[in-house]
Amino acid sequence: MHVIDSHTGGMPTRVILDGGPDLGNATLAERARCLATEHEQFYKSVLLEPRGQPGMVGALLVEPRNPDCAAGVIYFDADAVLGMCGHGTIGLGVTLAHLGRIDAGVHRIDTPVGEVAIDLKDANTVQVTNIESRRVLHAVTVETESFGPVTGDVAYGGNWFFIIEPSPIPVAPENIRQMVDMAISIREACIAQKIGGENGEPVDHVIFQGTSPNERVHSRNFVLCPDNDYDRSPCGTGSSARLACLAASGRLAAGEEIIQESVIGSTYRLSYQPSRGNGVIPRLTGQAYIMSESKLIFAESDPFRTGIGR
Ligand code: PYC
């Protein structure tokens, strides 16, 4: 299995070029469902240690439905298949350029939640125009088992987010462990209390929005992912959901650009345009760097060929 690893603002992406399972040629949403239900062992083995690393997201390249797309892709972490992934799409753009498959300029990418656009600005810089993002619930309170009531917004940006602002814990690297524990408890409470998307979609990510000591930065976030690890980047789909919240509450005008910082200090430039529906079309720009090209080997005799279970 040939893979190329990159990181986007510190968050790793592993693009799988070949050797993945055959998912057929239905829509990408159906192929993603097939990956989630029938190939769990495959996606865990690629991302769990010893072959993978904590937090890593996989990007399985597949044939796009629309031949005008430069690629089709299904993203996943070690515990779930994702709808979309912003940091992964920046990593994918840089990887496709590294392979000589795309040049500078705009390209369409097919994903399970719809087509997104990437604009490759240079070898490391990609601007992503995401799918329509929207806020679906405002100031809703969940009762957590260990932390009491917590109030936040539910918003969609290609994945489902519960966004708490202001963060109850200062968003800083020394508080990551504490924020992971609290965010897991909030996600569990959202799921148990059926607080999620309009059609019962469960919350899969939790965001704490805090402040940055850097005055050029609009805000700093912490994002919990489905694998219970945190996003080292400012999270592209999470930033999209946040833009929808800022727009819905009239706190950011269309076209205005802000800088969003992650808990480790990596940044995206963000803006939005109004969508035809009642959401926004988010734009995010970030940098990714190639780290390695390799061939993963899964020997039958290797007791950890499917990864170290947790
Ligand atoms: O950047 O959208 C994102 C993302 C989702 C999960 C990890 N990163």
Side-chain angles (χ1 to χ4, degrees):
M1 183 185 299
H2 284 106
V3 300
I4 297 190
D5 293 352
S6 60
H7 78 85
T8 307
M11 187 65 170
T13 304
R14 171 162 283 174
V15 176
I16 297 139
L17 300 174
D18 58 43
D22 180 5
L23 303 175
N25 56 5
T27 63
L28 263 70
E30 282 157 8
R31 282 184 256 176
R33 249 188 309 280
C34 173
L35 180 64
T37 54
E38 290 172 34
H39 300 283
E40 197 184 5
Q41 196 175 81
F42 156 76
Y43 69 79
K44 285 192 182 300
S45 66
V46 170
L47 297 185
L48 287 176
E49 293 175 275
R51 289 171 185 76
Q53 66 186 91
M56 185 173 239
V57 164
L60 177 63
L61 282 189
V62 296
E63 272 302 304
R65 286 278 279 201
N66 174 358
D68 292 340
C69 287
V73 62
I74 300 173
Y75 296 108
F76 51 91
D77 73 13
D79 278 313
V81 173
L82 305 171
M84 224 308 266
C85 179
H87 93 263
T89 304
I90 294 170
L92 175 64
V94 166
T95 299
L96 294 175
H98 171 79
L99 290 167
R101 294 192 189 177
I102 61 168
D103 293 323
V106 178
H107 308 272
R108 298 198 68 76
I109 305 288
D110 204 358
T111 82
V113 296
E115 287 180 24
V116 301
I118 56 171
D119 186 354
L120 179 71
K121 303 279 189 194
D122 61 41
N124 298 104
T125 308
V126 175
Q127 182 175 75
V128 180
T129 304
N130 197 6
I131 46 104
E132 180 183 82
S133 301
R134 60 191 190 281
R135 181 170 81 179
V136 299
L137 290 172
H138 177 50
V140 58
T141 299
V142 287
E143 286 297 330
T144 68
E145 213 162 284
S146 320
F147 302 91
V150 178
T151 300
D153 288 357
V154 175
Y156 177 73
N159 297 301
W160 286 94
F161 294 83
F162 191 79
I163 304 176
I164 301 111
E165 180 175 13
S167 174
I169 301 170
V171 179
E174 62 273 22
N175 295 333
I176 286 173
R177 171 54 64 106
Q178 227 187 321
M179 288 188 286
V180 165
D181 290 345
M182 186 167 183
I184 291 174
S185 171
I186 292 169
R187 191 183 54 209
E188 282 170 356
C190 286
I191 292 170
Q193 290 155 44
K194 301 208 178 333
I195 290 169
E198 304 98 328
N199 300 309
E201 298 91 342
V203 163
D204 40 40
H205 295 66
V206 174
I207 300 183
F208 295 128
Q209 281 294 151
T211 54
S212 166
N214 181 343
E215 61 186 29
R216 286 179 46 250
V217 168
H218 181 270
S219 49
R220 179 192 273 182
N221 69 14
F222 163 90
V223 184
L224 179 82
C225 299
D227 59 2
N228 289 344
D229 214 316
Y230 71 97
D231 200 329
R232 281 71 169 161
S233 83
C235 190
T237 51
S239 294
S240 298
R242 172 92 194 305
L243 282 170
C245 294
L246 289 174
S249 53
R251 292 169 60 201
L252 187 71
E256 200 181 324
E257 191 171 83
I258 56 172
I259 297 176
Q260 172 70 58
E261 188 177 63
S262 74
V263 65
I264 65 157
S266 55
T267 56
Y268 287 160
R269 294 203 326 267
L270 305 178
S271 64
Y272 73 88
Q273 289 299 323
S275 69
R276 287 209 199 108
N278 61 353
V280 301
I281 302 294
R283 271 211 166 147
L284 44 128
T285 307
Q287 273 83 34
Y289 295 86
I290 302 290
M291 299 189 290
S292 66
E293 293 192 36
S294 45
K295 186 172 167 187
L296 301 185
I297 295 169
F298 300 88
E300 276 301 316
S301 56
D302 179 350
F304 292 111
R305 70 183 172 284
T306 59
I308 300 173
R310 354 172 249 204

